[in-house]
Amino acid sequence: MSTFQTGNFWRRLAILACCSLPLFSSAAWADRIKDLASVQGVRNNQLVGYGLVVGLDGTGDQTTQTPFTTQSIINMLAQLGTTLPTTQSLQLKNVAAVMITTNLPPFARIGQQIDITVSSMGNAKSLRGGTLVMTPLKGADGQIYAQAQGNLMVGGAGAAAAGTKAVINHLLAGRIVSGATVEREVPTSLGQGPFVHYEMSITDFGTTQRVVEVINREMGPGTAQAVDGRLIRVNAPEEASSRVAFMGRIENLEVRPMKMMAKIIVNPRTGSVVMNQMVTIENCAVAHGALSVVINTDQQVSQPNALAGGQMVTTTQTEIDIKQGGGALMVLKAGANLSDVVKAINALGANPQDLVSILQSMKAAGALRADLEVI
């Protein structure tokens, strides 16, 4: 990454940091309980299936290299009344083996339609324009909970000719909106007996206590009790319609959570660095520089004159150049907010890749007031 690109990266990050300051400094900022917690037992269930996509324009699996596609075609045709020998060598280019994944939402009823994702598992070139043949979707218990079928929508595009290939986005995965129909329901209960349990999204004793206080203030003393830093037990009406109305009121109550945790997320593979508003640094000194070692090897030939009677000799000359650049020791003052942190680190001239090492060293020295997470 060039110095110009690095400067642009940090300038954009500093602008975003400054623009976000008013949002985090507002004392009236609050979240709804439904954004902070979920009802215990009310959850999605993952479904998965294996099927075939047909109707591809010569971009399907090469069946000679994907025997499971050939076997699937033979099995499907057998169920439809057409029998082929298992030794039959099929050369089909318009069929691809795929995996179908989706989430079965809570309280889903028979006949409800849900979206599905279709992904190639063979060596197909593209799933664009294909149609998914009826495929059962199973849960973790092996039971069939939905049936999937429909025309596949792929967001990418591509073309290839004479050894040249151009692709935009991804061609081997797509979605089918309302592509699956629920065939089996998953029983979901709202609590156990007279109680409903809320699970906080993060373990924070302060925020959990504030949620309990808001519920008791709005719904009556003793309605909610904190079991631990994550679980809240709420005394709710046992009649179904009254319980739904009661929970609807609770989930829309507003709570001002405790200050968020100072955290930095670093992705060294992409060079992405994201830090929230609570990140600060203490006074520290950091030396950042790059050691450059360049080795040049040159082959030189020494050839004697025609009448000298000598032999041609090849010699190797090697030049080693070592450069140390930008290794000055810089003092970073304590930063009170995100923009100060960005400006301080930007003064070192570090690119996102170098920033990972700098942040880790600052954390080890106790100068970085944040949790550092590398993903």
Side-chain angles (χ1 to χ4, degrees):
M1 180 178 291
S2 66
T3 304
F4 177 76
Q5 292 174 328
T6 302
N8 286 339
F9 171 84
W10 285 112
R11 278 194 291 271
R12 289 194 297 266
L13 187 58
I15 292 173
L16 291 175
C18 295
C19 293
S20 64
L21 290 179
L23 297 178
F24 289 94
S25 60
S26 175
W29 179 68
D31 282 333
R32 295 177 300 175
I33 291 181
K34 67 182 302 183
D35 299 324
L36 299 173
S38 60
V39 180
Q40 190 179 62
V42 179
R43 44 159 288 183
N44 293 327
N45 291 277
Q46 288 75 30
L47 303 181
V48 65
Y50 167 79
L52 295 173
V53 169
V54 300
L56 302 175
D57 187 13
T59 59
D61 293 338
Q62 298 179 12
T63 53
T64 56
Q65 301 178 9
T66 54
F68 50 84
T69 304
T70 302
Q71 186 63 48
S72 300
I73 295 172
I74 294 175
N75 294 341
M76 181 187 68
L77 294 177
Q79 295 177 2
L80 297 177
T82 301
T83 303
L84 294 177
T86 56
T87 58
Q88 181 75 25
S89 178
L90 301 179
Q91 300 295 327
L92 302 178
K93 297 183 179 180
N94 299 335
V95 183
V98 294
M99 295 297 295
I100 300 94
T101 56
T102 187
N103 285 327
L104 184 66
F107 309 112
R109 302 303 179 190
I110 294 177
Q112 180 178 339
Q113 294 182 326
I114 54 179
D115 300 342
I116 60 175
T117 300
V118 181
S119 305
S120 172
M121 62 175 298
N123 55 7
K125 299 178 181 178
S126 173
L127 298 181
R128 189 176 181 85
T131 300
L132 176 67
V133 181
M134 185 172 63
T135 304
L137 303 181
K138 299 181 179 180
D141 57 357
Q143 300 293 325
I144 297 176
Y145 287 89
Q147 293 283 352
Q149 182 171 285
N151 296 324
L152 186 62
M153 297 296 296
V154 178
T164 302
K165 182 179 179 181
V167 177
I168 300 176
N169 295 332
H170 197 59
L171 300 176
L172 298 180
R175 289 181 63 82
I176 302 179
V177 179
S178 301
T181 303
V182 177
E183 301 293 344
R184 183 192 297 266
E185 299 176 0
V186 177
T188 304
S189 59
L190 286 177
Q192 301 175 353
F195 298 107
V196 174
H197 293 84
Y198 284 86
E199 295 178 342
M200 302 293 293
S201 57
I202 59 175
T203 301
D204 188 334
F205 289 93
T207 302
T208 300
Q209 182 57 33
R210 289 188 178 185
V211 172
V212 171
E213 293 173 356
V214 170
I215 294 176
N216 289 334
R217 183 176 66 247
E218 298 294 334
M219 311 303 294
T223 302
Q225 294 179 343
V227 178
D228 51 36
R230 196 182 186 98
L231 187 64
I232 299 174
R233 184 176 61 202
V234 179
N235 192 353
E238 296 192 35
E239 199 271 325
S241 60
S242 299
R243 173 164 290 192
V244 171
F246 177 83
M247 296 176 65
R249 292 181 57 190
I250 287 182
E251 69 179 9
N252 286 294
L253 296 177
E254 292 189 348
V255 178
R256 186 164 61 88
M258 303 292 288
K259 286 186 177 182
M260 69 178 65
M261 182 186 303
K263 199 166 190 178
I264 300 176
I265 306 296
V266 177
N267 189 335
R269 296 184 299 274
T270 62
S272 301
V273 180
V274 180
M275 58 185 76
N276 62 21
Q277 174 62 25
M278 304 306 298
V279 176
T280 59
I281 59 175
E282 299 296 333
N283 290 323
C284 61
V286 179
H288 172 68
L291 182 66
S292 175
V293 180
V294 180
I295 302 176
N296 292 322
T297 302
D298 187 19
Q299 299 287 341
Q300 294 187 352
V301 179
S302 177
Q303 185 174 1
N305 295 329
L307 301 178
Q311 297 181 351
M312 183 176 61
V313 178
T314 301
T315 60
T316 302
Q317 291 187 354
T318 303
E319 295 182 0
I320 301 177
D321 185 17
I322 301 178
K323 296 181 180 180
Q324 177 73 37
L329 183 67
M330 302 192 66
V331 178
L332 304 182
K333 295 183 179 181
N337 51 50
L338 177 58
S339 61
D340 292 337
V341 174
V342 173
K343 292 178 182 178
I345 300 179
N346 190 27
L348 295 173
N351 59 37
Q353 285 75 20
D354 295 335
L355 184 60
V356 177
S357 299
I358 295 176
L359 292 175
Q360 288 177 336
S361 300
M362 293 174 64
K363 178 66 176 178
L368 182 63
R369 299 301 184 187
D371 286 340
L372 183 62
E373 180 178 348
V374 180
I375 61 175

